[in-house]
Each structure stands twice: as C-alpha cells, then as structure tokens.
Amino acid sequence: MTVTMSLAERLRAFVDIVGEANALTAPDDIRPYLTENRGLYHGASPLVLKPGSTAEVSAILKLASETGTAIVPVSGRTGLVGGQVPREDSQDVLLSLERMNKIREVDPVADVIVADGGAILADVQKAAEAHGRLFPLSLGSEGSCRIGGNLATNAGGTAVLAYGNMRQLCLGLEVVLPSGEIWDGLRRLKKDNSGYDLRDLFIGAEGTLGVITGAVLKMVPRPRGRQVAYVGLASPEAALKLFEKASQRCGTALTGFELMPRIGIEFTTKHIPGVRDPLASAHPWYALVDISTSDSEETAGAMMQELLADAFEAGLIADAAIASSIAQQDAFWHLRESMSDAQKPEGGSIKHDVSVPVSRIPAFLAEADAAVHALMPDARICAFGHLGDGNIHYNISQPVGADKAAFIARWREVNAVVHAVVHKHTGSISAEHGVGQLKRDELAASRPAIETDLMRRIKQAFDPAGIMNPGKVIG
C-alpha cells in the first residue's frame, strides 16, 4: 500500500532516519552527485542520504517502497555509463554508502575479507596486504571506488586474466531489498549448491534490484616474485601470438597482458606528468606483460627472460624493457592506466568498453578501424586494453581541429558501427563498465527477446514498485 505524503513530508521522514548531519539538502552540496566523470549525464535530486548502517538502509528503502520514492544508490561515483546519476527533472533520492566504509573482518586462514558496501577498494587491498594476502581487483580508480559499486557493475580491471572479475572474487553478500527486507547472504563457502545463487543476481545489477551493504570477498596468497615487461610489437597479430606463448610457458603465473597502440603512448607521454616511453624507438603496438610467482623474484625473472628470448627468436617482438625495480614496474603500469585520462586534453573522445573472444581481437580491431574511418576519415583511434581477457577500450579521439560538440554529437552513430563489428564477432557491448543509461536502449535492442524479457521479469519480482535506480540497465 502506498502512503500518501507531500514531498516535504517525505523528505523530512527520510532525513529523520539518518539525522540532519548525514543528509544533504542544499543544492551546492548535492551538485557533485548529479553528474558523472565524462559529463555525459546530468540529473536532479532534492536529497542525498548517507546512512551509517544496514538497518538505516533498510528503513530508507522501506519508506521509499511505501511512498513510491525512487532511490538511486551511489558508491564511489567513478562509473562511466551514468548508472549513478539520477534522472533529469526528477525527485529521485540519492543513497550514498560513503559512511558505511568499514572492514568488518579479515580471515587469513579462510582467505576471506568481509567489508561494508561503502569500503574503498584501496582500503580492502591494504587490509589484505596487512595479513600477507592479496585482494586482486585492481582499477585505475581504486583510491575512490567502493566495493558496493564494484560488485554492482561486476568490475573487471587489469587482473581478470589470472583472478577473474568481481563475480569470481565474491563469496557472499548482504543486500537490502526494495521492500526494506535484509538478505544476509554473507556466506564464506566455496561450495554451496543449496538452491538458486541469489548472489549472482545482485552482482552486475547496478543497484536496480537492491542495495549491497556488505560482502565476503576472496583473498589469495600474495605473490613472492613478480616481473613486468614493456614490449614493442608490429601488430595486434604479433601481440596475440606473444600472448599465446606467454600462456603456454607461464600458465597461471601470467597475471596481466595489456595491449596499447602507439597513439596512446604519444598521448600519455605528452599529457601525463612524469610518464615516459621506456623504449628508445617507436613501435606501432605495445604489450605490457606481468608475471607473478608464488616462490621468488628469481623464478619470475627467469620466466620473463625465457619468454622474451623465445619471442625475439620467433620474430614476434622488436624490443623490450624489463622493469629493474618495483618503482619501474609501477611506472610501466602507470603508463597503461593513464591512457584514458591522457585522451582528455586531445578533445572529445567517443568511448567503447567492449569484449570479443581473445582469438578474434586482431580481426575486430582491423574491421572496427575500417568502419570508423569510413564514417570519419580523420578520427584518431586509441584502442587499448586487456588483451588477455578479450576486453578492449575502443576509444576514438576527435580529429585535430574538429569541433568537440559536433564530434560528440555523433556518439550514437559511431557506437552503431563499432558495436556492429562487436556483434559480428560474438562479443559484448559492455565488458566491465556496466550498462547504466548509456547502453540501456542498445542492450534491449541487441539481446534476444527472451533474454530481455527474463531480465524484466526478474526486475518486476524484486522491485514491483520500480523504485530502484529507475531508467538504468533495462527499460
């Protein structure tokens, strides 16, 4: 039953749950919560709530369900698809987990860590490190993104090749449902076949089915040996052959394999302070190879040396630099992780977060490049990403001297030609960033009808009033 209240009465009731000190009502205070990093989406909201406990989240959602008030969960506000942005001209209430940021428990024997949904990823990594363990999710935004958002988008990052994405790193969840009911699924079991796996429904749902307030996360033993190499190559085909050799030779010790184009290196060395190209001469393409071993630095170093020697002999690589210190390893990775930000000073950028089967990456890149240049001959394509898991950030910078607004206005047109190539290669238009608002309509149009119908049935079952993050993922 819907409770009838005026807007002022509703807002007052919400504020009373968390207390005045934990509610934002002034427009200037709310404004930072109303947009996303790229400025593609701008929303409106009269209120930001900052609950301090699962019980307060429950009370908020119970009241929202009773009053028909839309709730937009907010995590670290680092998303790139508008999933955390309220609707324009709306009265959506924002629910931020930033106060729920505790590490609840670390269990090094079971290799699990229990954290609040608002815990910052970097803090989770540090808590694991303090116990000689590794929480392997690694993202460029790890200093500000939060575990609830990482789970809600099924975040990937640079270590998926070895450790999997967030779905593989989570054993259990605590979730507040739209009704205000609390599901305590904080199980620590690696084997549990007792019925439907409800956990997997909430991971990747982007806050449309409930609010993740806690999680049991997997840790792994911290590697004792590590080596990183930065390699110059002639083509994506050569990079793929190098990856195949690395996989065969290193097995599970291969923890990262990134692909980068020359233009990305030029953007990054030009615009990111302190970044330099580790190789003396330019190459059309580059790979970043990361090897981690359980025993020693010597083993990792020998494995890398043998891999590169084999690749040189096979004519796959033209040059390579092996990091001589931890600082240099970090510098190599900083170059790769800064590539997206380095595009900003070059003007408008139309971005794609896509995945295709690893073996099809060279063909995808060649066909997508041809399609984009047929549409926009002077476009500057900066395609880079996680070759080892098939995820490519296919970004396109505006032509030199072009009008930024006019270029960005062609976003959907460019998306269409790139995503057509993705579909041809049986790929996905959303690899790790989520769907949000940006890809909602295309998701519905590109998936089989039965698939989108099942998604809508799930949404209706969990959220019959439609209050959870409306307008996101599935229309």
Side-chain angles (χ1 to χ4, degrees):
M1 177 182 292
T2 301
V3 177
T4 302
M5 302 171 72
S6 69
L7 176 60
E9 290 172 329
R10 271 189 290 150
L11 297 181
R12 181 70 258 170
F14 280 118
V15 171
D16 286 345
I17 293 171
V18 299
E20 298 237 4
N22 300 309
L24 304 179
T25 57
D28 285 348
D29 293 334
I30 295 173
R31 190 167 294 113
Y33 294 81
L34 303 181
T35 188
E36 48 84 56
N37 287 340
R38 295 198 295 233
L40 294 177
Y41 295 99
H42 302 271
S45 174
L47 179 64
V48 177
L49 299 171
K50 300 180 181 181
S53 68
T54 300
E56 288 185 357
V57 176
S58 173
I60 290 167
L61 293 193
K62 184 175 185 295
L63 178 60
S65 182
E66 291 172 346
T67 59
T69 304
I71 298 292
V72 178
V74 178
S75 191
R77 309 206 306 270
T78 59
L80 298 172
V81 293
Q84 75 278 34
V85 180
R87 296 170 295 179
E88 293 183 284
D89 303 320
S90 76
Q91 300 299 330
D92 296 353
V93 171
L94 295 166
L95 189 160
S96 172
L97 293 178
E98 59 198 85
R99 289 179 61 224
M100 296 179 62
N101 57 13
K102 305 291 191 300
I103 306 297
R104 300 185 189 181
E105 183 184 353
V106 180
D107 183 347
V109 175
D111 273 335
V112 299
I113 184 166
V114 186
D116 282 350
I120 292 173
L121 174 55
D123 292 340
V124 173
Q125 294 169 337
K126 290 174 187 174
E129 185 176 358
H131 289 78
R133 300 297 192 271
L134 174 71
F135 181 65
L137 181 69
S138 180
L139 306 170
S141 59
E142 60 196 29
S144 53
C145 65
R146 299 176 186 272
I147 291 300
N150 298 150
L151 287 160
T153 56
N154 190 26
T158 57
V160 170
L161 171 63
Y163 302 108
N165 54 22
M166 200 58 169
R167 192 182 301 279
Q168 281 72 53
L169 295 173
C170 177
L171 289 173
L173 294 177
E174 176 185 82
V175 180
V176 181
L177 304 178
S179 62
E181 297 168 285
I182 300 170
W183 173 53
D184 182 354
L186 292 174
R187 303 186 183 101
R188 307 179 183 200
L189 305 175
K190 294 182 178 178
K191 291 184 176 181
D192 182 5
N193 289 331
S194 52
Y196 300 131
D197 192 340
L198 300 177
R199 173 199 58 175
D200 274 355
L201 285 173
F202 296 103
I203 298 175
E206 301 183 40
T208 61
L209 302 180
V211 177
I212 296 171
T213 52
V216 178
L217 306 170
K218 296 180 189 177
M219 301 186 296
V220 298
R222 191 162 194 84
R224 295 179 180 176
R226 186 183 179 209
Q227 191 51 268
V228 180
Y230 175 87
V231 180
L233 308 126
S235 67
E237 288 82 1
L240 184 63
K241 290 178 181 177
L242 176 63
F243 171 69
E244 186 177 5
K245 279 187 177 294
S247 297
Q248 292 172 347
R249 181 177 287 276
C250 305
T252 57
L254 182 64
T255 48
F257 196 103
E258 302 287 303
L259 179 68
M260 300 168 286
R262 179 61 198 172
I263 191 171
I265 303 300
E266 291 173 354
F267 287 169
T268 306
T269 54
K270 178 180 178 183
H271 297 299
I272 305 299
V275 171
R276 68 176 187 84
D277 185 345
L279 300 181
S281 57
H283 303 274
W285 290 88
Y286 299 83
L288 189 64
V289 184
D290 197 317
I291 293 172
S292 301
T293 59
S294 60
D295 51 2
S296 68
E297 292 285 351
E298 290 75 19
T299 299
M303 197 175 286
M304 183 69 80
Q305 291 281 2
E306 291 168 7
L307 169 65
L308 296 181
D310 188 14
F312 269 118
E313 186 176 342
L316 296 181
I317 62 179
D319 198 2
I322 298 177
S324 59
S325 65
I326 293 175
Q328 199 166 45
Q329 291 174 359
D330 292 343
F332 287 2
W333 272 105
H334 180 56
L335 186 155
R336 157 62 186 87
E337 290 170 344
S338 301
M339 202 157 286
S340 185
D341 285 343
Q343 289 183 265
K344 294 177 182 177
E346 293 293 327
S349 180
I350 297 176
K351 298 178 183 287
H352 306 81
D353 166 46
V354 302
S355 61
V356 297
V358 173
S359 60
R360 299 189 184 185
I361 285 177
F364 161 74
L365 290 171
E367 293 170 28
D369 288 1
V372 168
H373 283 141
L375 191 69
M376 199 179 293
D378 296 326
R380 295 176 293 166
I381 298 169
C382 183
F384 61 92
H386 322 300
L387 184 143
D389 62 38
N391 178 195
I392 297 296
H393 299 296
Y394 193 87
N395 297 347
I396 305 162
S397 288
Q398 69 179 59
V400 175
D403 179 75
K404 180 178 178 178
F407 175 77
I408 294 297
R410 301 185 70 180
W411 189 293
R412 296 293 181 187
E413 182 185 6
V414 174
N415 280 175
V417 300
V418 173
H419 289 165
V421 181
V422 172
H423 293 312
K424 175 185 174 183
H425 289 281
T426 65
S428 170
I429 63 171
S430 179
E432 63 178 359
H433 293 165
V435 176
Q437 301 179 58
L438 182 65
K439 300 178 182 180
R440 179 196 60 206
D441 295 340
E442 187 170 355
L443 174 72
S446 62
R447 294 288 185 169
I450 184 62
E451 194 168 328
T452 53
D453 183 53
L454 286 170
M455 292 183 196
R456 291 190 179 98
R457 290 187 215 175
I458 292 169
K459 170 70 171 172
Q460 178 64 25
F462 278 86
D463 184 22
I467 64 166
M468 291 305 305
N469 214 4
K472 317 295 169 49
V473 185
I474 192 78

